[in-house]
Amino acid sequence: MGLSRRTFIKTGLAGAALGACGALPPVSKWLRTSDAADDPKEKVAYTYHPPNCGGRCSFKCTVKDGKLVKLEANEWPDKRHSLICLRGLSELERVYSPDRIKKPLKRVGERGEGKFVEISWDEALTTVANKLKELKDKHGGKSIYLKASSGVEHPMFSLATKLGAQFTNHAGIDIGISGGLNQVTGAGLFGPMNNEVTDWVNSKTILLIGNNFLETSMTDAQFFYDAKEAGCKIISIDPSYSTTTTRCDQWISLRPGTDTALIMALINQVFVNKWYNEEYLRKNSTAPFLIREDDKKLFKIGDKFQVWDKNSGSFQPYDAPGIQPELEGDFAADGVKLQTVFAALKEHTKNNTPAWAAKITEVPEQVIKDLAKQYATGGPAVVAWGWGGPDKWYHADSLGRAAGILAALTGNIGRIGGGVGAANHHLPGYFAPFRGWPLPKDKGFAPAKPEMPATDFPQKPNSVRAVIIQGNTLNQWLGNAHQTAAWLKKLDLVVVVDIFHNDTVNYADIVLPTCTNFEMEYDSYNLQVRRNHIMMMQKVIDPLFESKTDFRIELELAAKLGLDQYLPKTPEDLNRARLKDPAPPLKGITVETLKANRYIQRLNAPMEPFRSNMNQVYATPTKKIELYSQMLLPFNAGFPSYEEPQEASPHNPLFKKYPLQFSQAHTRYRAHSSFANARWITQIIKEPKVEMNPRDAKPRGLNNGDLVEVFNDRGKFQARYQATPDMRPGSIRVSEGWWSKYFAAGNLQNVTNNANNPRGYPLIHGPVIPFNDTLVEVKKAGGAK
Amino acid sequence: MAKKLGMTIDLKRCMGCHTCALGCKMQNNVPMGMLWNRILTDGGEDVDTARGEFPHLHKSWMPLACLHCENAPCVKVCPVGATYRDEDGRVLINYDRCIGCRYCMAACPYNVRVFNWQNPVREPGHSYGEAPARPKGVMEKCTLCVERTSKGQEPRCVEVCPAKARKFGDLNDPNSDVSQAIRERGGQQLLAEKGTKPQIYYLR
């Protein structure tokens, strides 16, 4: 039987408030959308997803009567990337969220109370500008600090430059392991793997350390499965049974925070069994460099590091042509004994046996031995990690160094199917740098040099008296929320620029409403390079309510300060400047060509997976893989070592009182704290849960669904307990990024550790916040809720 | 030969990401409080529940939506013929005819039908996707994205799956992707013993 014929009458929604829905009109007046291709009144536009959402998906957006009605993946030139995941799909609602900040706001009541009145843009911008002028005149630009969350498309770096303000965009989070890896391989921000995940199909072994790849990199899941189908053995090293663990060939559960001990044991086994690649180490690493017995520094003649050349029987500069450096032997110069880095490393790891590591990690000794053999002798191998687990520990840098050294010893860097680093967000790719917006040379515009890592601002005396925050930075990016709040209360001015009313907004004096990636005053907006493509944002809908793009806000604030003449007038002006005199991968790509190609083009780059360091040149001082760090000698850390977690260790006396390790892991439902308020997603996962193994819950008298309190000396919060057999006993988890309004009480950052490791300060991006290096206790919450 | 549209879902690849659930919601204008496509785990009713005790655990996800049975109980019990099987093998609902008696809900052994008890609430407060809005008092369920598949496109859940766990096609065509997958992997039909003949096959 066929459908009866129906006529649809469009109804006006003009009378319906956004975010609420009155009764639908009578049956005969149903609203129906239709495919834009069938209806010339509809419009299609292209944009892409915010920067921290796992991989920069490009979207095809359908608009009807000025409203977003459909989101699909844009078609990429490389079709494998034509994807959209649940976070992208949820934008259709999130754009119109009842959490939208509709107008500029001014605080009434105490800072942190979250009470505001609506004011005009002119009043808001004038208030901010006047205060900034006053502070700059009295205390200098360094008294002003600008910070954007990683979900922000257009950080206000230009404004910071012209004010001479302090500005940092990557501090304290996602930079722990990479700080260590940088010491070994010169890896850049976030420590991306050398090879793209599209190269995993050529790997024989992949170790995923605390990496829930199938949740955090959904749009790269296909490459995980391609590797499996090609016969790769994928091993999950994770305390708990994650989604990714379920799809791996092997699971190794270890005590949280002990990953470095495991890697040190693998290094030990590589030495014991001579599984290292001698020729590779000789040519490409500092293994043959010589450590002085007296001051532990590397031996130099003049300003050149030396190696012992077998051919000439003498010291030679490490980069002299034709030399054959020795990896072992007895050497001396001017009465000082010299030892090769290789021999010193072997000696350093001599006691890091599988038996030693087994005691620390609680992984059986034989499992460790087998793992070492699989990794070292199984063919091209990858060590990869995520940022939600092992990165959030006080000593995370040691893991990066140890993993880098392990990969180097076995010749797995600059190798097809090899690699070491962070696996998420599809970070590795062909390099396509943009030019900048030209600055007048005579004005001396420059941001102030950061006086300390920004994570220290709540903890140490500093110059900052005003902060301008884009995004949910203050809650997402600082541990120990009570200390953060105390710091903010002392400031002269807190400005928050955001789309939604989240936790950070509550601390503001002035709130400025900004746009999502779908709204703009302009025809086009930002540029981004990812997955070997370049993307531009097209206007999808007009800014909602009184929101403005960050670009527009920056420009208007600059105008109030008399500085707007030095900024681009439109995003397109900025994009043209960025694409001028293009780097080779960008040749032929312009604003016009992007518009003609659905706002996405592939870079001029080879079709094969990106693999850095295939030429064995590294962004280290010596241009080689550096197994030994002179910079860290003051911390007695020329080589990495395993160290017990700073707080979350059973050896800590505090463990008696707070015996549970607290994790805030990443999840498929959020990117940091973005999407916490996406109602399409909270339809599936309604609220934060305290995930705990029933074995830990039982002696605490907890039943599934009970309201519980998680607490330590720093603070507490309340949420429902969920019986989670996946959790390793001794650990609990609340996934990262829930806004405090979703908790029954408190905020998950009330309990987290914000101690900065002194060894982190010299590292490329400073110390990491050890959110997961936290001990707590859990009890049933008093009173019914 | 008439088409018999069906699907395979590879449970070795499914990672419970719920992208298919939201892709379906968007395409089919599904309101709040219901989903046409849910993802179940065999450990329990909470999202992502594992079976077993640490460390001896197992977790598997199973997306569940209308199975478009060849011998559909819901078609048989519908007193007004609102539920019917179309010429391509989809099981569909004529919303104009539906009287909301919910016999089909009771008859379906897979629990895949949802009912509009109240006036539908959509967030945001406008319709989206390609399917017409349904009023209070009628049944809803997966249509195999009839607005798409009748134009030769794949269902939205197939298109958006990041793990590429789903295949869609004509079960009556021995050369189709779905037919090949079933031959190679031996697709499982849910509750096969009930004789409903589902056209959605799970690969394990």
Side-chain angles (χ1 to χ4, degrees):
Chain A
M1 66 185 64
L3 281 166
S4 71
R5 180 173 165 80
R6 290 172 290 180
T7 303
F8 295 99
I9 302 168
K10 291 179 190 176
T11 61
L13 280 181
L18 284 164
C21 184
L24 283 181
V27 162
S28 60
K29 297 192 173 185
W30 293 336
L31 177 68
R32 180 175 77 97
T33 60
S34 65
D35 193 83
D38 299 333
D39 187 335
K41 289 179 226 162
E42 297 199 342
K43 165 193 153 185
V44 167
Y46 302 91
T47 187
Y48 58 78
H49 223 195
N52 71 348
C53 190
R56 300 298 205 147
C57 300
S58 180
F59 295 152
K60 175 185 176 184
C61 313
T62 302
V63 176
K64 181 183 173 67
D65 297 326
K67 290 183 175 60
L68 184 59
V69 296
K70 190 161 58 161
L71 283 171
E72 298 169 279
N74 193 4
E75 190 179 329
W76 295 51
D78 182 343
K79 289 176 172 49
R80 294 177 299 179
H81 305 305
S82 306
L83 287 164
I84 184 170
C85 80
L86 84 166
R87 298 194 295 263
L89 293 160
S90 78
E91 289 284 17
L92 197 139
E93 178 274 329
R94 201 174 80 120
V95 166
Y96 297 99
S97 172
D99 300 308
R100 288 295 299 252
I101 303 166
K102 298 178 168 65
K103 274 174 171 276
L105 305 173
K106 177 171 76 171
R107 171 171 61 83
V108 292
E110 292 300 311
R111 192 178 280 155
E113 268 193 289
K115 293 178 182 170
F116 299 98
V117 292
E118 291 180 340
I119 58 177
S120 70
W121 270 101
D122 188 67
E123 182 185 349
L125 293 174
T126 300
T127 301
V128 173
N130 288 346
K131 191 65 183 176
L132 294 183
K133 273 179 201 165
E134 179 195 327
L135 288 171
K136 183 169 164 65
D137 290 346
K138 278 189 185 170
H139 306 289
K142 67 180 180 174
S143 64
I144 302 161
Y145 173 63
L146 281 82
K147 173 84 174 90
S149 91
S150 55
V152 168
E153 193 61 45
H154 180 87
M156 297 184 186
F157 182 68
S158 281
L159 187 63
T161 299
K162 287 151 191 80
L163 286 170
Q166 296 191 61
F167 180 96
T168 58
N169 218 25
H170 308 289
I173 202 166
D174 297 345
I175 51 84
I177 305 174
S178 67
L181 184 64
N182 169 267
Q183 290 291 295
V184 182
T185 65
L189 184 60
F190 308 128
M193 278 186 312
N194 318 81
N195 301 15
E196 268 190 277
V197 291
T198 51
D199 194 42
W200 279 4
V201 69
N202 297 312
S203 305
K204 289 301 179 207
T205 307
I206 298 174
L207 309 189
L208 295 177
I209 303 179
N211 190 340
N212 196 5
F213 186 84
L214 295 179
E215 286 203 32
T216 56
S217 291
M218 277 179 269
T219 50
D220 277 340
Q222 61 196 298
F223 306 118
F224 175 100
Y225 286 115
D226 289 347
K228 265 181 79 79
E229 285 175 4
C232 179
K233 182 170 187 181
I234 308 183
I235 299 169
S236 171
I237 297 167
D238 198 313
S240 296
Y241 190 63
S242 72
T243 294
T244 304
T245 305
T246 71
R247 296 285 173 262
C248 285
D249 299 287
Q250 183 182 357
W251 174 32
I252 297 175
S253 171
L254 77 183
R255 174 161 66 90
T258 63
D259 311 82
T260 302
L262 182 68
I263 301 299
M264 298 301 290
L266 302 189
I267 292 171
N268 167 278
Q269 289 295 282
V270 165
F271 277 117
V272 164
N273 295 288
K274 293 183 163 57
W275 286 331
Y276 45 79
N277 185 327
E278 273 195 50
E279 200 54 32
Y280 178 96
L281 290 169
R282 250 192 268 277
K283 285 180 178 169
N284 306 323
S285 81
T286 59
F289 285 38
L290 300 159
I291 302 174
R292 302 172 57 104
E293 190 183 41
D294 55 355
D295 61 6
K296 303 301 175 195
K297 291 190 177 179
L298 294 174
F299 175 59
K300 281 177 174 177
I301 295 181
D303 62 351
K304 278 285 186 173
F305 293 121
Q306 304 287 312
V307 297
W308 183 266
D309 172 34
K310 187 177 183 180
N311 293 340
S312 62
S314 65
F315 295 121
Q316 291 293 330
Y318 72 93
D319 54 0
I323 58 172
Q324 183 75 349
E326 287 278 26
L327 291 182
E328 291 186 282
D330 294 317
F331 311 107
D334 301 324
V336 179
K337 250 181 127 181
L338 306 171
Q339 186 180 33
T340 61
V341 167
F342 180 88
L345 178 60
K346 189 201 279 196
E347 192 175 294
H348 180 76
T349 59
K350 183 179 60 192
N351 295 326
N352 301 141
T353 62
W356 165 86
K359 285 198 194 80
I360 294 170
T361 62
E362 297 169 19
V363 175
E365 188 179 334
Q366 191 58 47
V367 170
I368 297 173
K369 286 180 174 176
D370 293 343
L371 180 66
K373 184 171 187 183
Q374 171 71 41
Y375 175 81
T377 70
V382 172
V383 189
W385 52 77
W387 297 298
D391 200 80
K392 300 180 173 184
W393 292 79
Y394 193 82
H395 304 300
D397 60 306
S398 293
L399 178 56
R401 294 177 66 203
I405 287 167
L406 176 67
L409 287 173
T410 51
N412 275 308
I413 307 177
R415 179 185 197 184
I416 293 175
V420 55
N424 297 91
H425 287 226
H426 210 112
L427 282 175
Y430 291 97
F431 188 49
F434 296 147
R435 306 302 175 202
W437 183 257
L439 287 177
K441 291 191 165 65
D442 57 317
K443 292 288 177 180
F445 287 137
K449 186 184 174 189
E451 65 188 310
M452 60 182 67
T455 52
D456 270 337
F457 286 147
Q459 303 185 59
K460 293 177 178 174
N462 57 74
S463 309
V464 173
R465 305 175 83 101
V467 297
I468 302 179
I469 301 292
Q470 290 169 274
N472 191 26
T473 297
L474 296 174
N475 194 65
Q476 173 58 39
W477 154 80
L478 291 170
N480 195 343
H482 296 305
Q483 200 169 44
T484 303
W487 168 56
L488 291 168
K489 286 190 160 111
K490 290 187 284 188
L491 298 182
D492 293 356
L493 177 70
V494 180
V495 180
V496 176
V497 180
D498 212 329
I499 307 163
F500 306 111
H501 195 134
N502 54 42
D503 289 320
T504 294
V505 168
N506 289 332
Y507 291 110
D509 300 318
I510 299 287
V511 183
L512 304 177
T514 190
C515 299
T516 65
N517 275 34
F518 300 85
E519 306 154 72
M520 47 203 81
E521 306 92 335
Y522 312 97
D523 287 344
S524 64
Y525 199 62
N526 205 31
L527 291 172
Q528 192 58 235
V529 167
R530 191 59 63 88
R531 300 165 185 267
N532 308 320
H533 288 68
I534 179 172
M535 295 174 274
M536 192 161 75
M537 290 162 66
Q538 182 179 19
K539 174 181 179 142
V540 178
I541 57 179
D542 288 321
L544 291 176
F545 311 108
E546 287 190 25
S547 67
K548 298 179 190 234
T549 55
D550 291 300
F551 181 99
R552 177 73 166 267
I553 292 168
E554 184 184 36
L555 190 58
E556 291 190 5
L557 188 48
K560 294 284 183 186
L561 294 161
L563 296 165
D564 53 310
Q565 60 183 304
Y566 306 113
L567 273 69
K569 295 293 179 282
T570 67
E572 203 162 283
D573 291 341
L574 176 57
N575 288 344
R576 287 182 201 286
R578 290 164 129 181
L579 293 172
K580 196 176 176 185
D581 296 324
L586 293 167
K587 273 213 158 56
I589 295 174
T590 65
V591 167
E592 284 69 35
T593 63
L594 282 162
K595 289 181 175 181
N597 283 280
R598 281 180 286 101
Y599 289 74
I600 186 166
Q601 289 181 265
R602 194 170 194 284
L603 302 178
N604 300 299
M607 288 307 294
E608 63 188 23
F610 174 76
R611 303 182 186 102
S612 65
N613 308 123
M614 292 296 282
N615 58 0
Q616 294 299 332
V617 176
Y618 296 85
T620 55
T622 59
K623 303 290 183 262
K624 291 188 182 293
I625 301 170
E626 299 192 355
L627 306 184
Y628 185 74
S629 171
Q630 291 193 119
M631 188 179 85
L632 296 178
L633 281 174
F635 304 94
N636 200 30
F639 291 121
S641 300
Y642 172 69
E643 298 145 295
E644 274 296 304
Q646 185 254 3
E647 178 174 298
S649 166
H651 302 285
N652 184 346
L654 200 63
F655 186 83
K656 287 187 178 67
K657 191 176 179 191
Y658 303 118
L660 297 166
Q661 182 257 335
F662 177 68
S663 249
Q664 39 159 296
H666 289 162
T667 172
R668 59 171 84 84
Y669 305 111
R670 276 177 303 288
H672 291 318
S673 64
S674 299
F675 309 100
N677 68 325
R679 278 162 181 72
W680 284 22
I681 293 179
T682 58
Q683 191 176 341
I684 296 165
I685 189 83
K686 294 171 174 52
E687 61 184 330
K689 294 291 179 65
V690 177
E691 297 175 82
M692 182 188 287
N693 193 293
R695 220 174 286 168
D696 288 328
K698 188 171 181 183
R700 292 172 170 82
L702 303 178
N703 297 303
N704 197 30
D706 279 354
L707 187 68
V708 298
E709 184 166 288
V710 177
F711 62 100
N712 60 19
D713 290 340
R714 282 185 289 269
K716 62 193 176 187
F717 65 85
Q718 292 182 358
R720 298 276 159 196
Y721 157 62
Q722 177 172 316
T724 314
D726 323 32
M727 287 301 298
R728 183 182 169 95
S731 295
I732 66 166
R733 178 174 68 204
V734 175
S735 56
E736 188 197 63
W738 282 106
W739 299 3
S740 49
K741 75 176 187 180
Y742 292 99
F743 286 88
N747 175 331
L748 86 173
Q749 303 291 27
N750 286 353
V751 299
T752 51
N753 187 354
N754 66 338
N756 277 336
N757 187 337
R759 190 172 68 225
Y761 289 87
L763 298 178
I764 184 168
H765 295 109
V768 72
I769 300 167
F771 296 104
N772 290 347
D773 201 337
T774 294
L775 287 176
V776 296
E777 179 56 284
V778 177
K779 65 182 180 182
K780 196 174 289 205
K785 164 98 187 184
Chain B
M1 187 178 203
K3 270 187 195 173
K4 192 164 90 170
L5 295 176
M7 190 185 296
T8 58
I9 304 176
D10 186 342
L11 299 186
K12 279 189 156 68
R13 283 193 161 233
C14 179
M15 53 201 192
C17 71
H18 297 270
T19 296
C20 55
L22 293 196
C24 169
K25 179 184 168 77
M26 176 181 294
Q27 169 63 27
N28 296 295
N29 204 13
V30 178
M32 299 304 287
M34 61 174 67
L35 288 168
W36 285 7
N37 180 6
R38 293 171 294 139
I39 293 79
L40 312 180
T41 42
D42 60 1
E45 285 184 7
D46 284 324
V47 173
D48 286 333
T49 308
R51 173 163 38 90
E53 287 185 15
F54 191 95
H56 306 293
L57 296 159
H58 180 266
K59 190 184 297 190
S60 187
W61 292 268
M62 188 174 77
L64 183 66
C66 178
L67 302 174
H68 294 274
C69 302
E70 196 171 346
N71 187 23
C74 55
V75 171
K76 291 179 171 174
V77 300
C78 185
V80 295
T83 294
Y84 64 100
R85 194 157 175 273
D86 82 355
E87 65 272 19
D88 289 332
R90 300 180 200 84
V91 177
L92 299 175
I93 301 170
N94 179 333
Y95 302 118
D96 286 332
R97 283 181 174 242
C98 180
I99 59 171
C101 69
R102 288 177 288 113
Y103 273 16
C104 56
M105 194 176 224
C108 178
Y110 306 106
N111 194 25
V112 298
R113 284 173 169 259
V114 283
F115 182 64
N116 284 284
W117 291 96
Q118 306 174 40
N119 288 314
V121 171
R122 286 183 174 77
E123 296 188 33
H126 60 261
S127 280
Y128 35 82
E130 292 182 58
R134 284 77 58 191
K136 177 180 174 182
V138 303
M139 295 299 309
E140 318 195 354
K141 69 167 189 68
C142 165
T143 65
L144 271 186
C145 281
V146 61
E147 290 84 5
R148 288 177 56 94
T149 53
S150 59
K151 293 187 292 201
Q153 295 173 336
E154 292 185 315
R156 197 78 203 277
C157 59
V158 176
E159 185 189 54
V160 298
C161 178
K164 305 199 186 307
R166 295 173 177 261
K167 293 191 206 305
F168 170 78
D170 182 3
L171 295 166
N172 280 342
D173 173 5
N175 297 316
S176 68
D177 286 345
V178 284
S179 296
Q180 285 180 53
I182 292 163
R183 278 199 304 274
E184 286 165 17
R185 296 274 297 273
Q188 178 204 4
Q189 290 167 298
L190 288 190
L191 303 179
E193 68 279 5
K194 292 193 180 294
T196 54
K197 299 185 187 175
Q199 287 163 191
I200 309 299
Y201 289 78
Y202 292 93
L203 312 178
R204 292 187 187 271

